[in-house]
Amino acid sequence: MSDLTLYPADIAAMSVGQLAQLPPAQKAEISRHLDEALAWLKQARAKFDAALEAAYGEQARAARLEAGKDFGVVHLKDGLLRVTIDVPKRVSWDQAQLAAIARRIAAAGEKVEDYLDVEYAVSESRFSNWPPALRAGFEAARTVKPGKPTFRLALVSEE
């Protein structure tokens, strides 16, 4: 298969149509190599991010403390390198407690939507297990769209 090997620059230079016309063995090889490259890049990124945290994390925490903030952007200098560290704020809400709050708001005669963003959803497994009469009442509110296709390639031995 070595005579079929395409390198990243080769793949980048090819059109989608040219790639689509490649022989099956070459498509399988490219798919495998891309998966391996993605895994390697993910590991390398995680390792390098850990190294950046080891190099600049303490300074960044001190700069953030000095600025009086727990989250957001701070800038550091390391020689000629300007290092920007952004710690985003990740907020999560306890759904059971929000539901209880929503009930209290409604019981007080207020509109829940004035205080909370409300999104209704039905799990597909639950919907599928309902009797047809119950499903019929919900179908007008349900939209089904295709997701992005995924491809897995595997060479099978010829028999």
Side-chain angles (χ1 to χ4, degrees):
M1 236 190 256
S2 61
D3 60 326
L4 299 176
T5 299
L6 289 173
Y7 295 98
D10 301 323
I11 296 168
M14 295 174 75
S15 70
V16 170
Q18 289 171 319
L19 289 167
Q21 295 302 314
L22 292 173
Q26 208 164 12
K27 287 175 186 162
E29 180 184 33
I30 289 169
S31 183
R32 189 180 75 253
H33 288 169
L34 289 174
D35 287 343
E36 290 168 1
L38 284 170
W40 181 88
L41 284 171
K42 186 176 179 181
Q43 286 179 326
R45 181 84 250 179
K47 187 178 208 176
F48 189 64
D49 286 349
L52 293 173
E53 170 63 32
Y56 304 111
E58 196 54 48
Q59 285 177 271
R61 284 185 284 283
R64 205 170 280 105
L65 182 65
E66 185 178 314
K69 57 186 183 177
D70 295 325
F71 308 100
V73 175
V74 293
H75 302 282
L76 305 174
K77 285 201 48 102
D78 184 2
L80 296 176
L81 181 65
R82 178 185 166 122
V83 182
T84 300
I85 303 107
D86 184 8
V87 175
K89 184 189 299 187
R90 300 264 191 254
V91 177
S92 63
W93 294 91
D94 182 289
Q95 297 302 295
Q97 289 186 47
L98 284 181
I101 292 168
R103 287 190 294 275
R104 287 196 301 270
I105 291 169
E110 299 282 334
K111 288 174 56 179
V112 173
E113 294 82 6
D114 289 345
Y115 301 93
L116 301 170
D117 293 330
V118 180
E119 180 178 314
Y120 298 102
V122 176
S123 77
E124 192 62 17
S125 62
R126 181 181 291 167
F127 179 82
S128 297
N129 288 317
W130 287 346
L134 181 58
R135 278 198 311 252
F138 283 78
E139 284 176 350
R142 181 175 179 256
T143 302
V144 179
K145 295 187 260 183
K148 184 179 178 194
T150 59
F151 297 89
R152 287 180 200 86
L153 305 180
L155 290 176
V156 292
S157 59
E158 294 182 31
E159 298 177 44

